[in-house]
Amino acid sequence: MEFRIARSELAEAVAWAARVLPARSPVPVLGGLLLDAGSGMLRVSGLDYEASARIEVEADVVRPGRVLVMGRRLVDICKVLPAGTVECSADGSRFSVVSDGARFGLSVLPSDDYPALPALPEFRGVVDAEVFASAVGHVAVAAGRDDTLPVLTGIRVAFDGERMTLSATDRYRYAVRTLGWKPQARDASGEAVVSARRLTDIARSLARSGMVRIALDTGSIGFENGGMRITTRLLEGQLPRHDKLFALTPTAVAVTGREPLLEAVRRVAVVAEGDSPLQLDFSDGSVCLRAGYEDDVASQRLPSALEGTPETTVAFNPSYLVDALSSFDAPVVRFDLLGPGQRALLTGLASADDRDPEPMHRHLLMSVKPLV
């Protein structure tokens, strides 16, 4: 095998395929990247037991062939190669990488032991990659971090006709985002739970790829664009449905600017130790944020509108509130409040007068006991 390729092209391809490589594996070949050169193309593939990735880029192929080398070591080499053309060749048990006088040699892994990449699942439709990446980011903040409950570390991807819904929850918060897509069939429907960490990484890597094809079956989900394709296994189980949780009749509705509120929450939360609450005292015309106990306290007042009651108080875990507010793009946030210690529904609005009956992005938070 022998080929020539621009350093930037090689580095990007290797880094993209290496994103699925396991940090540690009892099977050495799974730490490798498979390089397959032929017909003017270089194909770089990587996989572990949960995911697979493959990317194709143009290359000047002198001698076709395939080789398996340690993936993370090749990533590190590509990062430090001089700019320009890179000459790569495999001869026996050695893979050579040469660029502008710099030369690296890598030992070759036994490619015969390397598993075949799984096939793409059934094609279901296409979605705008940038919109999809943004939507994944909106809900991923609510996904759980506890691996003892794997399904809660996932994002539910559901589609019904031309509407896709992404949702995630860790039982204390629940984020939902809807977006449009183009299904293969008008009556298309289906759902799956995908690792939030995996899906976030996949969505970011494809964000500038235009329209991305989505494939899904009972065991895996796949994404494809041009020469890039990636698959990942689904998580077992189902997330709790959000429909009834979000169907609340609020006793009060508060509306305030999102960015000023986010800045104030971060500022006041400096004195909140651990999971101690950050309290919001809403009244007609303002909201007062308070945190801390005894002598270590902080507060800030902001403009706000309140409907349904002359005043109301609610408190949240500060980090959860920061995550929720940060996940919105809208300039205004609306709080549908049931009362202290109960659910609160946050919705992003275009303006304080916006009354969108079916907002695209909603975030449910469980409130906590207010400060004494």
Side-chain angles (χ1 to χ4, degrees):
M1 167 207 261
E2 184 178 352
F3 63 90
R4 300 184 183 92
I5 188 173
R7 186 203 68 85
S8 59
E9 293 285 334
L10 179 63
E12 289 179 9
V14 167
W16 195 86
R19 68 181 60 251
V20 301
L21 296 183
R24 296 181 182 87
S25 174
V27 183
V29 293
L30 292 184
L33 286 176
L34 184 66
L35 279 61
D36 192 344
S39 302
M41 300 293 294
L42 171 67
R43 176 183 295 174
V44 186
S45 308
L47 81 162
D48 68 3
Y49 292 114
E50 301 296 329
S52 70
R54 188 186 73 194
I55 182 170
E56 293 180 346
V57 292
E58 293 184 358
D60 178 13
V61 179
V62 179
R63 189 158 41 95
R66 65 199 305 251
V67 65
L68 183 67
V69 297
M70 290 303 299
R72 299 195 186 282
R73 179 60 57 84
L74 184 57
V75 170
D76 291 340
I77 289 173
C78 289
K79 289 178 180 177
V80 298
L81 284 173
T85 300
V86 181
E87 298 180 6
C88 300
S89 62
D91 186 9
S93 61
R94 181 68 59 180
F95 178 69
S96 300
V97 181
V98 180
S99 177
D100 193 25
R103 179 183 293 273
F104 296 87
L106 283 175
S107 56
V108 173
L109 299 173
S111 58
D112 292 342
D113 297 337
Y114 194 68
L117 264 67
L120 272 177
E122 178 186 354
F123 171 60
R124 297 300 186 94
V126 296
V127 66
D128 183 281
E130 188 172 359
V131 174
F132 182 72
S134 176
V136 170
H138 289 160
V139 303
V141 295
R145 309 290 191 270
D146 185 359
D147 289 332
T148 62
L149 296 170
V151 69
L152 293 183
T153 67
I155 293 176
R156 178 176 178 261
V157 181
F159 48 89
D160 184 7
E162 296 183 350
R163 173 171 166 161
M164 180 184 294
T165 302
L166 306 179
S167 55
T169 181
D170 62 1
R171 296 183 300 181
Y172 304 103
R173 45 190 171 166
Y174 206 136
V176 175
R177 173 72 156 82
T178 59
L179 64 154
W181 80 314
K182 296 180 179 179
Q184 175 76 350
R186 286 189 177 183
D187 59 348
S189 63
E191 65 176 78
V193 181
V194 189
S195 162
R197 179 181 62 83
R198 287 280 193 194
L199 191 59
T200 299
D201 182 61
I202 290 170
R204 286 175 178 170
S205 72
L206 296 171
R208 299 180 181 179
S209 301
M211 302 300 290
V212 172
R213 294 163 55 92
I214 296 182
L216 178 67
D217 60 21
T218 56
S220 63
I221 189 169
F223 302 85
E224 184 179 38
N225 175 270
M228 297 182 291
R229 53 154 283 191
I230 190 165
T231 67
T232 185
R233 291 178 59 184
L234 305 180
L235 297 178
E236 295 183 358
Q238 293 184 337
L239 294 181
R241 307 291 296 192
H242 66 271
D243 311 67
K244 292 183 178 180
L245 288 172
F246 281 40
L248 48 82
T249 303
T251 59
V253 175
V255 177
T256 187
R258 184 190 65 85
E259 190 64 35
L261 179 61
L262 176 58
E263 292 178 1
V265 169
R266 286 174 170 156
R267 185 176 298 119
V268 173
V270 168
V271 300
E273 295 185 4
D275 293 332
S276 62
L278 187 146
Q279 181 168 305
L280 287 76
D281 298 319
F282 288 101
S283 59
D284 188 18
S286 68
V287 56
C288 182
L289 288 74
R290 295 193 295 127
Y293 295 99
E294 298 180 349
D295 294 331
D296 297 329
V297 296
S299 65
Q300 183 172 350
R301 188 174 295 275
L302 297 171
S304 178
L306 179 67
E307 299 176 0
T309 184
E311 57 184 33
T312 189
T313 294
V314 67
F316 301 103
N317 176 305
S319 62
Y320 287 1
L321 184 55
V322 167
D323 286 345
L325 293 172
S326 300
S327 70
F328 287 97
D329 299 323
V332 176
V333 63
R334 165 178 166 153
F335 290 79
D336 288 293
L337 304 170
L338 289 176
Q342 299 189 58
R343 304 189 306 276
L345 183 61
L346 281 63
T347 306
L349 301 176
S351 69
D353 298 326
D354 188 6
R355 292 295 184 268
D356 186 353
E358 193 175 1
M360 296 176 63
H361 180 196
R362 294 174 291 173
H363 197 114
L364 191 76
L365 282 178
M366 287 301 300
S367 59
V368 297
K369 184 178 180 181
L371 298 167
V372 178

